[in-house]
Amino acid sequence: QVQLVESGGGVVQAGGSLKLSCEASGEILSLNHAGWYRQAPGKQRELVATISIGGYAKYEDSVKGRFIISRDNAKNTVYLQMNSLRPEDTAAYYCNPIRGVTITPPPPVKWAWGQGTQVTVSS
């Protein structure tokens, strides 16, 4: 069973940086567009960044200029570099292969969710 495994979260002060990784045991990431999502307590999961198979990226407005999504298809891994972090970025972060690259409306996901990685930004 192919699984998505997110890592790299942690506790950071406002203005700091973190780099998240999402690795799949099979080729589901390298053969698909991919997206990073986040879910804060009491809120719905939201899509924050997408990347096409060829590396074209799109971002939700609140993270534009601060987050960078990238991919290494040879490693079946997608990354999210998060800079200038804000307390409102606090959430559990997840990745998933997706059927398109639009932010709005968000495209359907193609796989079961992983366990996510928690990002906490203190003020």
Side-chain angles (χ1 to χ4, degrees):
Q1 177 75 17
V2 175
Q3 291 185 324
L4 297 165
V5 180
E6 299 92 350
S7 63
V11 180
V12 63
Q13 287 190 329
S17 298
L18 284 172
K19 186 173 185 177
L20 308 183
S21 298
C22 174
E23 187 173 359
S25 54
E27 294 182 313
I28 56 171
L29 286 177
S30 61
L31 296 179
N32 286 284
H33 309 313
W36 276 99
Y37 298 73
R38 66 185 178 189
Q39 186 169 21
K43 295 188 177 181
Q44 288 190 332
R45 191 170 297 177
E46 65 172 344
L47 179 61
V48 296
T50 64
I51 188 165
S52 70
I53 295 171
Y56 181 72
K58 291 188 176 182
Y59 301 93
E60 191 270 330
D61 285 347
S62 70
V63 307
K64 279 181 183 176
R66 301 189 299 122
F67 290 10
I68 301 171
I69 188 171
S70 61
R71 64 191 302 155
D72 186 335
N73 291 337
K75 295 183 178 179
N76 298 310
T77 302
V78 178
Y79 305 97
L80 187 68
Q81 176 68 47
M82 305 188 297
N83 303 317
S84 302
L85 283 162
R86 305 168 179 169
E88 54 264 38
D89 295 319
T90 295
Y93 284 72
Y94 304 84
C95 74
N96 212 304
I98 49 180
R99 296 190 183 275
V101 293
T102 58
I103 297 294
T104 304
V109 300
K110 299 183 72 174
W111 209 256
W113 295 102
Q115 83 288 349
T117 186
Q118 179 66 37
V119 171
T120 301
V121 184
S122 61
S123 57

